[in-house]
Amino acid sequence: MPGLPLFWRGNEGEAIMYNPQIHKLINACLQKKDIDIAGKDNLFYTRMVANTTAIYYLYNQLYQHHPHGKPLFIVLIDTIIDAYIKRTTAQKELDNDKEIQGNWFLSNDIAGMSLYVDRFCGDLKSMPEKLAYFKKLGVNFLHLMPVMQSPEGESDGGYAVSDFRKVDERFGTMADLKKLQQQMKKEKMYLMIDIVLNHTSHYHEWAKKAKAGDKKYQDYFYMFPDRNLPDQYDAAMPEIFPESSPGNFTWNEECRQWVMTVFHSYQWDLNYTNPAVFVDMLDNIFFYANLGVDILRIDAPAFVWKQVGTTCQNLPLAHTLLRLIKQCVQVATPGMALLGEAIVAPKEIMKYFGTGLYTSRECDFAYNATHMALQWDVLATGDTKVMLAAQHEILQKPFGTTWITYTRCHDDIGLGYDDYMIQHAGYNPYHHRKFIKDYYSGVAEGSPAIGALFSVNPKTQDARISGSLASLCGLEKALNENNTPAIELSIKKILLMQAHSFFIGGVPMLFYGDECGYTNDYSYLQDPGKSYDNRWMHRPIISWDKNNRIDEAGTIEATIFSGTQKLIALRKQLPMVADHKNLTWLSPFNVHVAGYLRTLDDAKLYCVFNFGKETAYLSYAAFKQHGPTAHELYDHWNDKTYTVGFDNEHLILEPYGFCLLEQR
Ligand code: GLC
């Protein structure tokens, strides 16, 4: 084993250049393993030689001064090699196929759904028989909400993991998960699961050892004997769950230490300043990759790096850490794409795609959380100005990366767009946000929504919003009042919201239940492990009697399901919807109408959405500003052809109606 090169002295630029010392190190590590560098493993070897200098550079940014930094770098290289060795031949072939396709995840052919296995169909064993349901809807990508072991009652919906490699018995076994994955592969479906990177359950074996006084594992967490440092941290750190888990530290009586717990008190933050934590978690990431995961959802990446005196969110070294993960995955398991679940300010979200030399080389996906929240904003106000004011920021997304677009997910809706965007639209940020929160919590007069405020911070009055897509769009209230026109209107809103997010670019991710119009589920209030967290109101328990009504024409379920199905089918049929950074916003000829153009070569699709409660008139001038004017527009949604008229003539959109107009 040659001596490790001196710790990095160069600049970022040198990190992507060939480095003979690193090459020697790789060769020495590979000699111990059964790798055919000149033959079948040559591609891997090439990736390794090409990327390890960058890996070394990034690693040193994090661990240069750590006493175990050097020896653990060798362990890191071994971990990468072992992950590759454990990858099956079929997985390696798939890696190569995906590489040939290029950025396979930009395709308009992918449509996803996120679901809790137990609430959807009981357990993993029952999932394969549900694949036909997804196929019918057009969904070919599943995000299984966390299925690894997590203590009931202190689970945070599975985001408090006590064993990263054991499926929780509530869901089944690892064999069931593998079987499902294989069945999905046969059906050409993609799989996403989470790596809960930021924290573990306090019942994870590392935490148990730390509680018992094991110094090695105490270094896996942030633990302090007194309030000195916790107070300093707390002074600058916001609170995530101020109602149920105020503060960022929890006293543990067993080891008599304050433990950092940014989320719930039972979720212990991992200490990534310790390279052993990084290497162990990277190994878990590879374990998931080798289960056949296509997209790995990195939970809460904004929080992984902490520095006293800062908010401990979105720190530069959090990005370094993600880049390091990306480079390692790129070498060993390149077919697995990464989704960074950063639900932060618009400018900050963008950085998770990478910046500078690492542009497009950090996370492949991020959630378009800004856009999701803006859609709710427009639906409440009927005014597109705030949404438009945010677009220059959202359009910064680099080529080769993409969004997960969505209207609802398992989490709350945070109105995280910037104050200046609201001001730009002519509103006062405080009053505007208050109106949106009142509207969706059903407090505002005339609001059709039934939702609730989530995590109200008594100090700042900040709050987010809980509630299902259907309830926030007015279906629950309309059903309670047995009001048929209101039911119809709420369904139009549901489909408007879905359409707007399906066509804007990125992979649409449905939340289970929304395809059938599930309203809020209040059963969580009876469960002490859930009742403190009102996000459970929009995480329904599926009744298959209800879902089976998708086949009974005229039912709410059938109307919403078939509308959603049609939207997905249209997406797949229209290649300009693939995410090639080919989105242009239309000039706002009508403040109630959001309009964007998707293009591919000469093909054009104008998507226009009326968020207003009145009929909207959109000047035909809107369709004449981007290249040669069309004579005809074919509306794929309403199956209707329009002749493009004079500028003083109008396309007419009914309240909450929309058109998907292809230029002919
Ligand atoms: C992510 C999850 C959320 C969870 C949090 C803590 O934001 O989406 O549900 O509470 O991480 O793990």
Side-chain angles (χ1 to χ4, degrees):
M1 172 75 57
L4 257 182
L6 285 174
F7 263 105
W8 200 272
R9 284 157 190 276
N11 59 32
E12 203 182 39
E14 286 171 61
I16 53 166
M17 290 159 93
Y18 175 75
N19 180 320
Q21 283 175 301
I22 299 278
H23 196 161
K24 269 194 213 148
L25 171 79
I26 297 167
N27 284 350
C29 289
L30 284 169
Q31 260 166 25
K32 299 176 292 180
K33 317 267 177 179
D34 181 22
I35 295 271
D36 177 9
I37 60 170
K40 68 175 176 36
D41 301 318
N42 184 256
L43 264 179
F44 166 69
Y45 182 59
T46 309
R47 292 197 298 267
M48 187 112 205
V49 173
N51 286 22
T52 308
T53 315
I55 291 176
Y56 191 61
Y57 168 78
L58 293 164
Y59 180 88
N60 278 318
Q61 299 299 302
L62 302 170
Y63 303 120
Q64 183 163 15
H65 302 295
H66 194 281
H68 303 141
K70 273 194 185 190
L72 278 165
F73 185 69
I74 309 284
V75 180
L76 174 73
I77 298 297
D78 280 339
T79 305
I80 295 174
I81 299 170
D82 290 343
Y84 171 76
I85 291 173
K86 286 182 197 146
R87 208 147 171 80
T88 64
T89 309
Q91 287 169 343
K92 286 174 188 164
E93 280 168 7
L94 199 59
D95 286 342
N96 293 343
D97 285 353
K98 285 178 174 168
E99 211 157 337
I100 292 164
Q101 282 177 50
N103 294 319
W104 54 274
F105 42 80
L106 304 183
S107 163
N108 54 314
D109 197 44
I110 310 176
M113 181 183 279
S114 182
L115 58 90
Y116 290 95
V117 170
D118 54 342
R119 299 171 90 75
F120 185 71
C121 64
D123 57 16
L124 285 164
K125 260 203 177 72
S126 314
M127 279 293 290
E129 73 205 38
K130 296 293 180 214
L131 296 188
Y133 178 81
F134 301 118
K135 206 172 197 166
K136 183 168 180 165
L137 183 57
V139 160
N140 56 359
F141 166 36
L142 294 184
H143 170 211
L144 304 184
M145 297 298 294
V147 291
M148 296 301 160
Q149 189 173 284
S150 176
E152 211 166 354
E154 290 189 334
S155 163
D156 187 20
Y159 286 102
V161 180
S162 54
D163 189 335
F164 289 103
R165 299 188 185 204
K166 186 167 182 286
V167 168
D168 198 296
E169 42 192 46
R170 272 177 291 157
F171 305 109
T173 62
M174 191 54 85
D176 297 333
L177 179 59
K178 284 187 181 158
K179 209 164 147 205
L180 170 64
Q181 188 275 332
Q182 272 156 23
Q183 191 61 33
M184 285 175 64
K185 256 311 73 93
K186 268 198 211 129
E187 310 270 343
K188 301 209 176 327
M189 293 179 78
Y190 298 101
L191 172 66
M192 174 157 92
I193 66 171
D194 284 78
I195 178 81
V196 186
L197 200 65
N198 181 64
H199 43 257
T200 71
S201 155
H202 70 119
Y203 288 120
H204 188 282
E205 64 160 315
W206 300 337
K208 285 201 228 161
K209 287 182 180 161
K211 282 183 201 169
D214 186 331
K215 182 75 187 81
K216 174 175 171 194
Y217 289 100
Q218 293 196 338
D219 281 347
Y220 271 48
F221 301 96
Y222 289 92
M223 303 184 101
F224 306 98
D226 56 46
R227 283 295 309 181
N228 183 17
L229 269 161
D231 283 343
Q232 290 181 45
Y233 272 107
D234 265 343
M237 287 171 84
E239 295 168 272
I240 307 300
F241 298 131
E243 287 171 317
S244 56
S245 271
N248 289 289
F249 291 85
T250 302
W251 174 251
N252 183 266
E253 188 53 35
E254 210 175 321
C255 57
R256 302 198 57 76
Q257 304 261 0
W258 288 97
V259 187
M260 188 184 280
T261 55
V262 169
F263 290 87
H264 292 101
S265 54
Y266 50 80
Q267 290 165 306
W268 286 20
D269 285 63
L270 284 165
N271 175 5
Y272 281 96
T273 65
N274 177 356
V277 172
F278 178 80
V279 174
D280 277 348
M281 288 303 284
L282 182 68
D283 204 28
N284 286 329
I285 288 175
F286 286 142
F287 180 78
Y288 293 166
N290 286 340
L291 283 176
V293 167
D294 297 287
I295 302 171
L296 183 73
R297 179 185 185 275
I298 300 182
D299 184 61
F303 298 84
V304 293
W305 200 267
K306 277 87 175 177
Q307 208 173 310
V308 70
T310 72
T311 59
C312 297
Q313 289 183 31
N314 305 311
L315 295 184
L317 290 180
H319 291 283
T320 306
L321 194 142
L322 291 169
R323 290 168 191 186
L324 180 56
I325 292 175
K326 177 68 185 163
Q327 296 293 316
C328 296
V329 165
Q330 199 60 36
V331 173
T333 61
M336 183 171 76
L338 302 181
L339 159 64
E341 187 252 344
I343 312 299
V344 291
K347 243 196 186 67
E348 295 299 333
I349 295 183
M350 212 55 71
K351 295 181 187 159
Y352 289 83
F353 292 120
T355 50
L357 271 180
Y358 288 88
T359 303
S360 304
R361 298 166 87 214
E362 195 172 309
C363 295
D364 305 294
F365 284 90
Y367 282 94
N368 202 342
T370 310
H371 208 275
M372 179 276 296
L374 287 165
Q375 279 196 220
W376 288 105
D377 182 303
V378 187
L379 188 73
T381 61
D383 176 339
T384 56
K385 288 203 291 288
V386 181
M387 181 189 268
L388 284 172
Q391 293 310 321
H392 70 284
E393 205 75 84
I394 302 179
L395 291 172
Q396 303 303 317
K397 179 177 71 60
F399 182 77
T401 61
T402 195
W403 298 113
I404 291 288
T405 61
Y406 62 119
T407 53
R408 288 303 290 116
C409 70
H410 69 288
D411 279 330
D412 44 285
I413 301 168
L415 306 175
Y417 35 91
D418 293 304
D419 283 358
Y420 82 81
M421 296 167 180
I422 303 175
Q423 280 158 342
H424 190 91
Y427 301 120
N428 169 299
Y430 173 81
H431 290 124
H432 185 76
R433 286 205 177 84
K434 181 163 179 347
F435 168 73
I436 307 284
K437 287 181 284 189
D438 286 351
Y439 183 90
Y440 288 115
S441 55
V443 174
E445 214 185 299
S447 163
I450 301 187
L453 295 184
F454 172 69
S455 263
V456 181
N457 188 325
K459 293 167 214 154
T460 60
Q461 287 311 306
D462 271 352
R464 286 110 74 183
I465 297 158
S466 283
S468 76
L469 174 67
S471 291
L472 296 180
C473 285
L475 182 59
E476 185 174 339
K477 188 160 191 259
L479 285 170
N480 290 345
E481 294 169 358
N482 206 5
N483 180 340
T484 307
I487 293 175
E488 282 166 6
L489 200 64
S490 70
I491 294 176
K492 289 188 78 177
K493 288 183 186 175
I494 291 171
L495 293 175
L496 171 84
M497 291 290 278
Q498 297 293 45
H500 197 265
S501 86
F502 282 16
F503 284 83
I504 200 155
V507 170
M509 180 66 83
L510 287 155
F511 189 58
Y512 79 110
D514 288 347
E515 80 287 8
C516 288
Y518 271 76
T519 54
N520 293 336
D521 181 336
Y522 300 104
S523 62
Y524 78 100
L525 290 167
Q526 313 318 322
D527 178 344
K530 298 189 172 72
S531 56
Y532 60 88
D533 185 340
N534 70 20
R535 289 177 298 175
W536 286 100
M537 77 167 62
H538 54 256
R539 300 169 179 176
I541 298 172
I542 294 303
S543 142
W544 283 92
D545 282 345
K546 178 174 166 68
N547 284 41
N548 288 337
R549 288 203 284 274
I550 60 172
D551 293 323
E552 286 170 39
T555 59
I556 291 173
E557 293 78 8
T559 312
I560 300 177
F561 188 93
S562 61
T564 312
Q565 187 185 41
K566 182 169 175 184
L567 288 172
I568 297 177
L570 286 175
R571 244 187 76 83
K572 293 190 185 182
Q573 173 191 321
L574 294 164
M576 63 291 248
V577 183
D579 190 4
H580 298 297
K581 220 171 150 48
N582 47 346
L583 169 78
T584 310
W585 281 83
L586 303 185
S587 304
F589 283 94
N590 182 324
V591 76
H592 308 294
V593 178
Y596 51 76
L597 170 65
R598 307 298 316 272
T599 52
L600 187 65
D601 303 326
D602 292 336
K604 284 185 182 163
L605 184 76
Y606 289 94
C607 307
V608 288
F609 307 84
N610 179 13
F611 281 92
K613 56 176 185 282
E614 312 287 346
T615 302
Y617 298 85
L618 183 65
S619 160
Y620 278 109
F623 306 101
K624 298 177 186 172
Q625 302 199 316
H626 304 277
T629 304
H631 296 295
E632 267 187 1
L633 296 167
Y634 174 68
D635 179 3
H636 285 274
W637 176 244
N638 298 297
D639 193 15
K640 207 168 159 185
T641 304
Y642 294 92
T643 304
V644 177
F646 294 111
D647 293 357
N648 60 354
E649 294 178 310
H650 299 95
L651 179 84
I652 299 172
L653 291 150
E654 54 183 36
Y656 304 108
F658 63 93
C659 301
L660 304 170
L661 300 154
E662 189 175 3
Q663 175 161 324
R664 293 249 162 106

